[in-house]
Amino acid sequence: MSKTELLVTPESIEHMKHLIEAGADAFLVGEQLFGLRLAGEFNLKNLEVATKLAKAHNKKIYVAMNGLFHNDKVELLAPYMQKLQQIGVDAIVFGDPAVIIARREAGVTIPLHWNTEQTATNYFTANYWGKRGASRAVLARELSLDEVIEIRENADVQVEVQVHGMTCIFQSKRPLLGNYFLFQDKAMEIENRSKNKNMFLHDKERSNKYPIFEDQNGTHIFSPNDMCMIDELDELLDAEIDSLKIDGVLHDPSYVTLVTSFYRQAIDAYYNSKSSYKDIKKDLFNNIKEIQPALRPLDTGFFFKETVY
């Protein structure tokens, strides 16, 4: 039985070094031009450094190309992937089928991970894309635990599941924040996401605050809570889920590093013995609760919600 991978999103090369020490197995990186909602910006030069660092520690680098590519960007795909192949990255994460066509035309052999966010909800579609070059399916965050396990049991490709962090609940290609401020006769330039960490939509009726930022890919709105499954990992590990993801977008690097170390302890304890994991899981959850930002309550996402058909 192969050990489940712990996938993390670093903010920088320096952060990646800390995450390696914390026990991360793989890293999702990229740049705004091709990838969506990344924790940090990694241009080709940074990707080369990151890949060398990862290989030196027997870790993996996955590059996000999960944007929607209109005609103005399609011509950029093949040259970019050829450079990624020269660098030696381990996989490309995609959603738009244009990536498959450009990869084939460019003669690139980098493995593909299929990720269409909310629509990756069944093993039939995962297997469909598996036959077209994908070696992994990144499942939607809106699935219950039973649905995740069913997909893992029937999928012919690897399965990746998010277990910690924010969930994007809305994206528009339009610059909604910029338009709003222009409507109020205020100028607002598109800023780097790191400067947008404290921007929220406030829903007074539900007493929720939704993190929001705007970048080259439009406007992104996130869930009011952070998913945390550290004390519920045993069923996912029993099901042999191939990869568990910690999404660090909009979180401080130090927080992501600590959370990664706690999940590393949890996974290692499980593989030592299930009883070892059960002995420490509540303490690990409390450790995360102590460092959790006040504006980001913890919950278990959709894993234990009843599915209504």
Side-chain angles (χ1 to χ4, degrees), residues 17-304:
K17 293 176 182 177
H18 296 308
L19 290 171
I20 289 173
E21 293 176 3
D25 298 313
F27 303 95
L28 178 64
V29 294
E31 54 185 299
Q32 272 186 52
L33 185 61
F34 300 103
L36 297 178
R37 296 178 286 277
L38 296 162
E41 188 80 358
F42 282 70
N43 58 27
L44 285 170
K45 184 176 180 181
N46 288 337
L47 281 174
E48 190 169 0
V49 174
T51 302
K52 289 179 180 177
L53 178 63
K55 290 188 182 300
H57 292 86
N58 198 29
K59 309 296 182 182
K60 292 185 178 180
I61 290 288
Y62 307 143
V63 177
M65 295 184 67
N66 57 334
L68 295 176
F69 300 112
H70 293 186
N71 292 340
D72 60 332
K73 284 187 179 181
V74 168
E75 298 296 326
L76 303 175
L77 298 179
Y80 184 68
M81 283 189 279
Q82 287 171 335
K83 290 175 182 175
L84 294 181
Q85 180 138 310
Q86 292 172 5
I87 291 172
V89 304
D90 296 286
I92 290 170
V93 179
F94 83 101
D96 194 323
V99 173
I100 292 180
I101 298 170
R103 172 177 171 267
R104 182 172 63 241
E105 292 177 349
V108 170
T109 58
I110 303 171
L112 295 173
H113 293 175
W114 173 63
N115 179 14
T116 53
E117 299 289 338
Q118 291 91 347
T119 63
T121 58
N122 61 86
Y123 63 83
F124 180 87
T125 311
N127 291 340
Y128 173 90
W129 290 109
K131 294 174 182 176
R132 284 151 185 81
S135 61
R136 175 182 293 186
V138 181
L139 299 191
R141 289 60 156 178
E142 292 80 8
L143 294 172
S144 70
L145 182 59
D146 289 340
E147 290 168 327
V148 168
I149 293 172
E150 181 187 12
I151 293 172
R152 171 62 282 173
E153 290 173 346
N154 293 278
D156 299 326
V157 295
Q158 293 180 1
V159 167
E160 177 187 312
V161 175
Q162 182 177 328
V163 292
H164 196 93
M166 296 186 185
T167 299
C168 181
I169 60 175
F170 174 85
Q171 180 192 356
S172 172
K173 291 284 285 185
R174 293 174 294 169
L176 300 180
L177 286 172
N179 291 344
Y180 172 74
F181 280 99
L182 285 173
F183 178 75
Q184 294 196 334
D185 295 324
K186 298 177 182 178
M188 177 183 174
E189 297 180 357
I190 297 176
E191 299 176 347
N192 184 284
R193 63 179 61 81
S194 65
K195 298 177 183 177
N196 280 320
K197 285 183 178 178
N198 295 318
M199 298 184 69
F200 297 91
L201 285 177
H202 190 191
D203 183 348
K204 293 184 179 179
E205 184 178 339
R206 295 181 176 85
S207 299
N208 284 334
K209 291 186 177 181
Y210 302 89
I212 180 172
F213 72 77
E214 184 180 304
D215 64 6
Q216 290 182 27
N217 295 295
T219 307
H220 312 262
I221 303 175
F222 294 83
S223 59
N225 298 347
D226 270 350
M227 180 194 308
C228 180
M229 287 288 287
I230 197 164
D231 57 340
E232 303 284 356
L233 288 181
D234 44 351
E235 288 194 65
L236 290 168
L237 295 170
D238 285 345
E240 299 184 20
I241 300 299
D242 300 278
S243 182
L244 302 178
K245 180 186 179 185
I246 298 171
D247 196 328
V249 65
L250 298 182
H251 274 297
D252 289 332
S254 58
Y255 168 88
V256 179
T257 301
L258 276 172
V259 167
T260 299
S261 69
F262 297 146
Y263 274 87
R264 179 78 274 156
Q265 292 177 53
I267 293 171
D268 288 348
Y270 170 89
Y271 284 110
N272 180 46
S273 71
K274 291 183 183 180
S275 60
S276 297
Y277 167 69
K278 290 178 180 178
D279 288 342
I280 66 169
K281 66 178 187 177
K282 286 301 178 186
D283 289 337
L284 292 175
F285 175 80
N286 289 331
N287 289 343
I288 292 178
K289 200 171 180 180
E290 286 179 9
I291 64 170
Q292 188 68 15
L295 290 174
R296 302 296 304 162
L298 295 172
D299 67 18
T300 54
F302 285 81
F303 281 106
F304 301 106

